[in-house]
Amino acid sequence: MEIPHQNIESENTHSWLLHFPVMFFAAVMGIGGFTLVVGKALRVFELSRYVWIFDALTILSVALFCGIVLIYLAKIIRHYSAFLQELKHPVRINFFAAISVSTLIVLMLSRSLPLGFALGLFYFGAFLQLVFSLYVVRFWFVNEMQQKMANPAWFIPIVGNLIVPLAGMSLNLQNQNESLIPLEILIFYFGMGSFFWILLNAALLIRLVFGENLPQKFLPTLFIFIAPPSVFGLDILVLFEGYARFAPIYGIVEESVYFGFAYFYGIASASFSVALFFMLLMISLFRVFTKLKFALSWWAFTFPTSAFTLCALELFVQGGSAFYMYLGFFGVVLNAIIVTIVAWHTFLAMKRKEICVLEQ
């Protein structure tokens, strides 16, 4: 289902800015997520001499984010009606949450930001995420949604809520003497994301099994099934580890907190197992994906792979299992290959002017 274009300014139908899609923020999620993976891998495998790779990717991610933000703001100003149509599109509406997720990823990458600015960026990203979540769910409630409209892109606003606790704990753990972001706020987003992930996961599986097949260009979004269980597992590990560190602030005996760690580690492992199943399922569909014509939806291959890898590496760090170490190494290699391929095809498509054009 495409955006109807009959109301878009006819004199500007060939303007690339008019057709600049919000899906471009998925590229920030992809490259930013890969940058987080590189930083995590360098720390886990003690490869500090290659930290320049992480620094270079961080600069690229931040520059890409700022550039896309400026371009999309220009689109809003110059082609406001096109922006409104995108905001009301039953598929593209879900990609607006990529803006808030990208903001939070950039925050996690930029560890040298002044504290006040970092806090402001966190609350801005978290507020945007809440606004987009409310808007998307309200859109589902108010409009008549057909089963064929459902696709894995609906997970993006949900995964965004699960990213907020990671960004918040990243700030908290950088300042170990105080809990800058209240855990109650992080738990709010964690609970909201977990609730809708479970419901949407069931609804989307029913649609995929019993409904119409996904259009070819949306097939890469199947990879998004990997992201929610991966980020959920990360949230469990990071939130609980951070909660143990800040337990005295809440008057809780630390021994009892650490005693329960094995329980939460088991939950995180089980959640990651769901992500692993979907990763294996996607690998089994390899031939299907190789036949696809390039579209911006290919960026859906990238961030879920990053989330999978980060969760595997964190499970290895906190549990010491070689099984998760090998999966983490596999994820790093796979993530690097996928990001390189998708970025190269995006560059070629831009060079051939196949992106930012009127879709038929």
Side-chain angles (χ1 to χ4, degrees):
M1 183 175 185
E2 304 300 334
I3 296 179
H5 52 82
Q6 63 269 21
N7 294 326
I8 297 179
E9 301 92 334
S10 58
E11 68 274 12
N12 292 312
T13 53
H14 298 292
S15 167
W16 67 269
L17 182 61
L18 174 67
H19 306 297
F20 187 84
V22 71
M23 283 93 80
F24 257 111
F25 282 97
V28 181
M29 291 177 59
I31 294 178
F34 176 61
T35 305
L36 289 173
V37 166
V38 170
K40 184 72 172 180
L42 293 178
R43 292 192 299 273
V44 170
F45 299 118
E46 299 180 352
L47 300 171
S48 57
R49 63 183 178 276
Y50 297 112
V51 70
W52 61 269
I53 300 177
F54 171 76
D55 293 336
L57 286 172
T58 297
I59 293 172
L60 174 62
S61 301
V62 174
L64 183 64
F65 173 71
C66 293
I68 293 177
V69 166
L70 290 176
I71 293 173
Y72 202 76
L73 283 175
K75 172 181 176 175
I76 294 174
I77 294 172
R78 296 191 58 183
H79 305 290
Y80 187 68
S81 61
F83 160 69
L84 288 181
Q85 289 185 24
E86 202 165 28
L87 195 60
K88 296 175 183 178
H89 192 283
V91 174
R92 294 192 179 188
I93 184 179
N94 299 288
F95 286 89
F96 278 90
I99 301 174
S100 51
V101 173
S102 298
T103 302
L104 296 170
I105 289 176
V106 166
L107 172 62
M108 288 187 280
L109 290 174
S110 308
R111 294 178 174 267
S112 58
L113 291 175
L115 181 57
F117 183 78
L119 284 172
L121 194 61
F122 169 80
Y123 281 112
F124 175 74
F127 175 73
L128 271 185
Q129 179 57 46
L130 179 59
V131 169
F132 289 141
S133 297
L134 289 170
Y135 181 80
V136 168
V137 175
R138 181 185 180 277
F139 185 89
W140 293 342
F141 284 5
V142 172
N143 294 277
E144 183 179 351
M145 305 300 292
Q146 301 176 13
Q147 187 185 57
K148 65 180 181 180
M149 295 179 182
N151 66 84
W154 284 21
F155 276 131
I156 297 177
I158 305 310
V159 174
N161 290 308
L162 295 176
I163 293 292
V164 174
L166 297 181
M169 289 309 302
S170 176
L171 280 178
N172 284 347
L173 297 176
Q174 287 178 49
N175 299 268
Q176 297 187 17
N177 295 326
E178 55 180 326
S179 179
L180 298 173
I181 311 297
L183 288 170
E184 293 82 1
I185 293 179
L186 304 183
I187 292 296
F188 165 76
Y189 283 95
F190 173 71
M192 182 168 51
S194 303
F195 174 77
F196 280 104
W197 161 44
I198 295 170
L199 292 180
L200 280 181
N201 193 75
L204 288 171
L205 284 176
I206 292 173
R207 179 260 191 268
L208 292 172
V209 173
F210 299 106
E212 299 178 14
N213 292 333
L214 284 176
Q216 188 185 60
K217 70 176 183 178
F218 287 130
L219 286 178
T221 63
L222 290 172
F223 254 71
I224 300 178
F225 274 104
I226 298 170
S230 298
V231 183
F232 177 86
L234 269 175
D235 279 347
I236 289 289
L237 294 170
V238 175
L239 274 173
F240 192 74
E241 180 191 28
Y243 188 63
R245 295 191 186 191
F246 298 116
I249 297 177
Y250 294 86
I252 299 173
V253 180
E254 287 196 57
E255 287 77 6
S256 64
V257 176
Y258 282 111
F259 178 76
F261 175 73
Y263 173 74
F264 286 97
Y265 185 85
I267 294 176
S269 301
S271 181
F272 177 76
S273 298
V274 177
L276 177 58
F277 171 82
F278 278 110
M279 175 62 78
L280 295 174
L281 180 62
M282 295 305 108
I283 292 174
S284 73
L285 294 171
F286 175 75
R287 288 191 177 182
V288 175
F289 294 133
T290 58
K291 298 177 182 178
L292 298 179
K293 181 182 178 182
F294 175 77
L296 282 178
S297 59
W298 277 31
W299 282 102
F301 289 131
T302 57
F303 180 76
T305 311
S306 300
F308 173 88
T309 307
L310 288 170
C311 190
L313 291 174
E314 188 64 27
L315 284 167
F316 166 64
V317 168
Q318 296 198 25
S321 170
F323 175 72
Y324 294 123
M325 180 189 70
Y326 291 128
L327 284 176
F329 182 77
F330 163 76
V332 172
V333 175
L334 180 64
N335 202 190
I337 293 173
I338 289 176
V339 168
T340 301
I341 292 174
V342 175
W344 175 246
H345 277 278
T346 303
F347 172 75
L348 291 179
M350 293 175 65
K351 188 176 180 181
R352 293 192 293 259
K353 297 183 180 180
E354 296 174 352
I355 296 179
C356 302
V357 294
L358 181 65
E359 296 187 12
Q360 303 299 327

